[in-house]
Amino acid sequence: MDAELQADRAALADTVRRFAESEIAPNVEAWDDAGEFPRALYTRAAELGLLGLGYPEAFGGTPASYSLKLPAWIALARHGKSGGVLASLFSHNIGLPPVVLHASDEVRHEVVPAVLRGEKIAALAITEPGGGSDVAALRTTARRDGDHYVLNGEKTFITSGMRADWITVAVRTGEGRGAGGISMLLVPGDAAGLSRTRLSKMGWLCSDTATLHFDNVRVPARYLLGNEGEGFRMVMGNFNGERIGLAAGALGFAQACLDEALAWSRERKTFGAALVEHQVVRHKLVDMQMRIASTEAWLEAVCAEGDAHEAEGRFNAPEWVAQVCMLKNHATQTMQFCADQAVQILGGMGFMRGTVSERIYREVKVMMIGGGAEEIMKELAARQLGWV
């Protein structure tokens, strides 16, 4: 890694740390109780350039490689200490890429700049009540009617679903079932016939999550992304960035658990000695650090390889996609292990609301499921490696 990239990474990570420590972490408990965080946080993140990180300058963004963004992702999780904030504050990172890559130039300029300025919220809607990870089986339909599409169906578990101003929706425009008939449409949040139902969750309490209902929703045909029938490929390609972001966040949350557990073990005394002086506790801390170190090294390697592939014009190389899938599993398992060990070290306090480890413990499962469940990741990795 060259000196310039190292300096840029350090500066960005420091900016993110200060933002997370001053404007996110102190407010998370109150935001969890409220079930959402203020929309003003989007504007503040935009002012720091965080919403536009990785997007073209033409839309008000700042182009950035995986390797440059990585320390920022980790710092947001480690110092913000809330998956709910990160999920909704950056839901545009899964909702906007298909727009940037496949919308008309007119639509891109209509939609993207306002989101990157924090004025509008973007979301992605793929999952359906009866579909889960089986994207090819989705049933929400979009029927062409003149210069509009008419949408009918439901999407669920949609992050930022209650507040999104723009929703990138996977729909079925072709006949029958299977991947070939899937397309992507951009749906305005104020479209007539679109209704939303808030969902209650185990964790990510300040992230609004919803089921979306489409009842003869008319969407201008100019909001079709790419061509009809190309949606499945867009969805699959979009997953890679999401999974790397999830892995980076999982690492940051694992570090946050270690931070709290180590501080507690130094302060808490039992049997006349600090917890850290007991071998069994020290070994738990070392086991946490061991998994964190391996996850960090793998993340760095996968990001560097992804940057190299993109520089060569090799997008979604099978061997790299396999690495992303396995890394996502490894990182979320690291988060799970560290959250569990931290709660154990904190003892009764680890079971109390208000501790970092308690919150992260509740957020583990959504990280292991979201963006592709563990089982799906293993199967996809095996296929990308040519084993089946």
Side-chain angles (χ1 to χ4, degrees):
M1 186 182 301
D2 62 50
E4 182 178 358
L5 178 56
Q6 286 181 323
D8 289 344
R9 281 163 50 107
L12 180 58
D14 185 61
T15 296
V16 169
R17 176 189 58 77
R18 287 186 279 111
F19 169 68
E21 289 180 343
S22 64
E23 302 189 41
I24 297 178
N27 301 305
V28 170
E29 287 300 315
W31 292 344
D32 274 356
D33 289 343
E36 63 182 28
F37 56 85
R39 285 189 71 128
L41 192 66
Y42 291 93
T43 305
R44 180 59 181 143
E47 290 171 349
L48 294 173
L50 301 183
L51 299 189
L53 197 62
Y55 291 88
E57 292 181 1
F59 306 124
T62 303
S65 64
Y66 287 121
S67 296
L68 177 58
K69 291 183 288 187
L70 178 59
W73 287 333
I74 297 170
L76 278 164
R78 183 176 188 174
H79 301 290
K81 303 175 173 58
S82 169
V85 172
L86 268 61
S88 279
L89 185 60
F90 294 95
S91 63
H92 70 291
N93 281 340
I94 56 175
L96 276 192
V99 180
V100 173
L101 293 173
H102 303 289
S104 68
D105 195 55
E106 178 187 4
V107 169
R108 287 199 294 262
H109 280 91
E110 176 186 358
V111 174
V112 179
V115 174
L116 300 188
R117 290 194 301 266
E119 298 168 0
K120 300 291 184 180
I121 298 172
L124 178 72
I126 304 295
T127 304
E128 297 186 351
S133 297
D134 189 1
V135 177
L138 66 83
R139 297 180 178 180
T140 297
T141 60
R143 174 180 54 83
R144 185 69 182 255
D145 181 23
D147 58 356
H148 285 75
Y149 284 93
V150 180
L151 273 67
N152 283 281
E154 288 187 328
K155 299 291 181 179
T156 196
F157 310 142
I158 307 307
T159 300
S160 294
M162 294 301 298
R163 302 199 290 187
D165 302 292
W166 294 102
I167 309 165
T168 303
V169 185
V171 296
R172 183 165 298 283
T173 51
E175 298 293 331
R177 298 171 63 84
I182 295 174
S183 303
M184 294 288 273
L185 272 175
L186 184 63
V187 179
D190 59 358
L194 169 62
S195 59
R196 319 178 193 214
T197 303
R198 182 181 292 274
L199 300 174
S200 298
K201 311 181 295 296
M202 178 192 299
W204 283 10
L205 300 183
C206 62
S207 169
D208 66 283
T209 307
T211 294
L212 307 180
H213 313 273
F214 300 94
D215 184 10
N216 290 320
V217 175
R218 295 184 66 83
V219 177
R222 66 192 183 91
Y223 288 140
L224 176 69
L225 304 181
N227 299 314
E228 286 192 9
E230 295 179 347
F232 187 81
R233 178 177 56 82
M234 295 181 200
V235 172
M236 293 299 105
N238 201 48
F239 273 136
N240 294 320
E242 179 181 3
R243 289 162 184 163
I244 292 177
L246 284 166
L251 172 59
F253 292 128
Q255 291 172 330
C257 288
L258 177 57
D259 291 341
E260 185 175 57
L262 179 57
W264 177 262
S265 69
R266 286 170 169 164
E267 296 171 4
R268 177 72 167 169
K269 287 184 169 53
T270 60
F271 305 101
L275 283 178
V276 75
E277 296 179 36
H278 298 292
Q279 184 186 66
V280 66
V281 174
R282 290 197 303 274
H283 286 190
K284 288 180 184 294
L285 295 167
V286 170
D287 285 341
M288 294 166 74
Q289 178 58 37
M290 179 177 66
R291 286 164 173 79
I292 286 170
S294 67
T295 302
E296 186 172 23
W298 200 355
L299 258 168
E300 291 282 4
V302 167
C303 285
E305 184 177 349
D307 291 337
H309 285 328
E310 292 200 0
E312 298 168 356
R314 295 182 62 220
F315 300 98
N316 303 322
E319 68 276 9
W320 182 72
V321 173
Q323 290 291 314
V324 170
C325 293
M326 293 185 290
L327 169 62
K328 194 262 184 180
N329 279 0
H330 182 77
T332 53
Q333 288 169 11
T334 293
M335 177 183 171
Q336 182 183 48
F337 179 86
C338 290
D340 181 74
Q341 294 302 296
V343 168
Q344 191 71 22
I345 290 170
L346 267 66
M349 281 303 299
F351 195 64
M352 297 295 106
R353 289 290 174 96
T355 61
V356 174
S357 300
E358 184 273 339
R359 182 186 311 113
I360 293 175
Y361 189 92
R362 286 185 286 106
E363 295 181 349
V364 164
K365 275 301 173 183
V366 70
M367 300 285 284
M368 304 180 87
I369 295 169
E374 278 196 343
E375 296 79 5
I376 299 296
M377 294 297 89
K378 292 177 183 178
E379 184 65 14
L380 180 54
R383 292 183 180 278
Q384 294 295 308
L385 291 169
W387 294 351
V388 288

